[in-house]
């Protein structure tokens, strides 16, 4: 790996560290564990995409055991962020629905970050933004654990 590639990898790690710090501070301020924030992000993301999120899918997304997922969903339900409901397409399935409190939290957490990153992007050309977006899409895929793997990215 040459120096320029190494710098990109180190900068990407720094972005992850700063993002984690921001999430920790936000979570502490709102009494949420990091896993709670991750779960809310997954469930809100599914809702925005028009997909139903089940406890089983959430467990897979977060790489949690069934008992850990149950405890997580119970905690988020008690705090008023999620509810369990029957699916509108298959009444046998239980789906997770976000409550307004979760939407409000997501907005409070992500809006300032989006504004700050948006300000950075304002100084870039459309072509530069497209290159950054392409890189980030590929980086997310490269870092996503593969089924049956130990969780570490390949490479």
């Amino acid at each position: 790996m040459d120096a320029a590639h190494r710098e990109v990898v180190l900068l990407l790690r720094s972005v992850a560290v700063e993002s984690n710090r921001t999430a920790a501070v936000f979570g502490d301020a709102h009494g949420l564990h990091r896993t709670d924030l991750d779960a809310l992000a997954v469930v809100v993301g599914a809702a925005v995409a028009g997909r139903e999120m089940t406890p089983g899918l959430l467990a897979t997304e977060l790489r949690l055991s069934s008992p850990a997922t149950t405890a997580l969903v119970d905690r988020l339900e008690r705090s008023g962020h999620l509810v369990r409901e029957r699916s509108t397409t298959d009444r046998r399935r239980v789906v997770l629905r976000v409550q307004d409190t979760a939407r409000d939290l997501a907005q409070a957490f992500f809006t300032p970050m989006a504004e700050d990153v948006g300000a950075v992007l304002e100084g870039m050309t459309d072509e530069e933004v497209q290159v950054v977006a392409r890189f980030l899409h590929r980086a997310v895929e490269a870092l996503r654990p593969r089924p049956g793997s130990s969780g570490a990215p390949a490479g």
Side-chain angles (χ1 to χ4, degrees):
M1 182 182 306
D2 68 22
H5 286 95
R6 188 174 4 270
E7 181 181 15
V8 169
V9 170
L10 292 174
L11 286 169
L12 189 57
R13 182 176 66 190
S14 294
V15 167
V17 167
E18 293 306 322
S19 176
N20 285 335
R21 283 186 189 148
T22 300
V25 168
F26 184 85
D28 287 347
H30 295 279
L32 295 167
H33 300 270
R34 178 57 199 245
T35 306
D36 297 347
L37 289 173
D38 291 344
L40 289 174
V42 168
V43 178
V44 169
V48 168
R51 294 185 336 244
E52 289 186 335
M53 179 58 58
T54 66
L57 289 172
L58 182 62
T60 300
E61 280 284 324
L62 298 179
R63 300 179 65 88
L64 294 175
S65 67
S66 183
T69 303
T70 298
L72 169 66
V73 172
D74 287 347
R75 192 167 57 242
L76 290 173
E77 200 168 35
R78 276 193 308 273
S79 66
H81 298 306
L82 292 179
V83 293
R84 292 175 175 101
E85 294 180 351
R86 292 285 169 199
S87 169
T88 57
T89 59
D90 182 349
R91 301 286 300 155
R92 295 170 294 181
R93 287 181 18 172
V94 171
V95 294
L96 304 173
R97 302 263 189 244
V98 294
Q99 299 298 95
D100 288 341
T101 59
R103 285 187 196 89
D104 293 346
L105 273 177
Q107 185 174 10
F109 180 66
F110 289 110
T111 298
M113 278 197 292
E115 289 171 351
D116 292 345
V117 172
V120 171
L121 294 172
E122 286 296 317
M124 301 175 77
T125 66
D126 289 344
E127 292 79 20
E128 289 171 324
V129 172
Q130 289 171 1
V131 168
V132 170
R134 188 171 64 244
F135 165 75
L136 290 173
H137 279 290
R138 290 179 180 173
V140 166
E141 286 305 313
L143 295 171
R144 186 167 281 145
R146 287 157 184 78
S149 75
S150 64

